[in-house]
Amino acid sequence: QGTSTLHAWHMDAVDASGEAQFVLKAGNTAELLSVKSLTFSVQTEDLKSDSKGLDKSAYKALKADTYKDIHYTLTSATVSPVASGYLIKSLGNLTIAGVTHEVSLDVHGVLNSDGTITLSGTYTLNMTDYKVDPPTLLFGAMSTGDAVTLKIAAVYAPHQTS
């Protein structure tokens, strides 16, 4: 989500992919001990707003024809219990439009009764840090701000073995 000269805007992606390896303490109630690995990836053109014009401008700015995905790979994490789950302080590499930066991301984790793990968090970045020119619309009459906030909400399910 971000701002523009006319109004705030947001783009959503419903589909994403990723894998994670969580270490849980066995027992009557599971306890999250650590996160050994984690990735997530969103196809750039799966980002959708309520404006086809904004979508088209965003895909051009994100160089979607060349860089099909926005990708994150965890490099390290610490896990701390909090009242409503776990605070996961992570470091990882975020790649947008072919440019990768190490980012520090605080994520809230919840162990669900069905065995899934829900992660949620936010991260604010400047598009220009990733060599993305903030999109413009209507022949430049509307321009977006440089800062955007990524809102992450992901559910990781246990790997099913056959």
Side-chain angles (χ1 to χ4, degrees), residues 38 72 74-78 88-92 103-107:
L38 183 140
Y72 175 83
L74 177 80
T75 56
S76 67
T78 59
I88 302 167
K89 290 186 164 288
S90 69
L91 282 177
V103 298
S104 174
L105 180 62
D106 289 351
V107 177

Side-chain angles (χ1 to χ4, degrees), residues 35-121:
V35 183
K36 290 183 102 174
S37 66
L38 183 140
T39 64
F40 70 79
S41 186
V42 175
Q43 289 189 353
T44 305
E45 290 189 359
D46 280 351
L47 295 168
K48 304 287 183 200
S49 71
D50 57 0
S51 164
K52 288 186 186 227
L54 175 60
D55 293 352
K56 186 176 176 181
S57 294
Y59 302 153
K60 182 178 177 183
L62 291 166
K63 306 169 189 103
D65 55 339
T66 303
Y67 303 105
K68 306 289 184 199
D69 298 319
I70 296 169
H71 188 77
Y72 175 83
T73 301
L74 177 80
T75 56
S76 67
T78 59
V79 176
S80 303
V82 293
S84 58
Y86 298 88
L87 172 63
I88 302 167
K89 290 186 164 288
S90 69
L91 282 177
N93 293 314
L94 178 63
T95 303
I96 300 172
V99 176
T100 302
H101 288 293
E102 184 176 63
V103 298
S104 174
L105 180 62
D106 289 351
V107 177
H108 181 257
V110 175
L111 301 178
N112 302 308
S113 61
D114 64 359
T116 61
I117 298 177
T118 301
L119 302 178
S120 59

